[in-house]
């Protein structure tokens, strides 16, 4: 059951991050899920030690974990845009 919740919440987080970073038209559902989960893992390594909290990959599902994971997904899309276009945008 935890894997299904992780996939659904990761998809929503990936979709929100892609809307914020204006890359929604370039991604499908699968890539939104991947961005959400990889962004949550990235948040676990970078964002969590700085501001605390826990990403969704740790099994904790709260507002703080969703926001930390969203921040990680936004950072991930910013890094991808930097290499793809030469600007974060």
């Amino acid at each position: 059951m935890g894997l299904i919740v992780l996939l659904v919440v990761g998809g929503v987080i990936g979709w929100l991050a892609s809307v914020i970073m204006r890359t929604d038209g370039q991604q499908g559902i699968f890539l939104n899920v991947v961005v959400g989960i990889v962004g949550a893992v990235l948040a676990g390594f970078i964002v969590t030690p700085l501001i605390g909290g826990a990403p969704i990959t740790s099994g904790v599902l709260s507002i703080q974990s969703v926001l930390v994971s969203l921040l990680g997904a936004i950072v991930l899309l910013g890094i991808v845009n930097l290499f793809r276009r030469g600007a974060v945008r």
Side-chain angles (χ1 to χ4, degrees):
M1 188 68 173
L3 180 64
I4 294 172
V5 171
L6 179 66
L7 291 174
V8 170
V9 173
V12 171
I13 288 172
W15 174 73
L16 284 174
S18 67
V19 167
I20 291 170
M21 295 298 289
R22 295 186 210 120
T23 60
D24 191 40
Q26 302 166 356
Q27 302 180 178
I29 294 172
F30 178 72
L31 198 55
N32 281 337
V33 171
V34 170
V35 165
I37 293 174
V38 173
V41 170
L42 182 69
F45 289 122
I46 296 174
V47 178
T48 301
L50 296 175
I51 64 172
I56 59 169
T57 54
S58 67
V60 177
L61 188 61
S62 65
I63 298 294
Q64 185 180 14
S65 66
V66 170
L67 291 177
V68 166
S69 298
L70 177 63
L71 186 60
I74 290 171
V75 168
L76 175 69
L77 285 177
I79 292 169
V80 168
N81 284 341
L82 185 65
F83 285 110
R84 187 186 273 173
R85 296 183 188 149
V88 174
R89 192 177 143 184

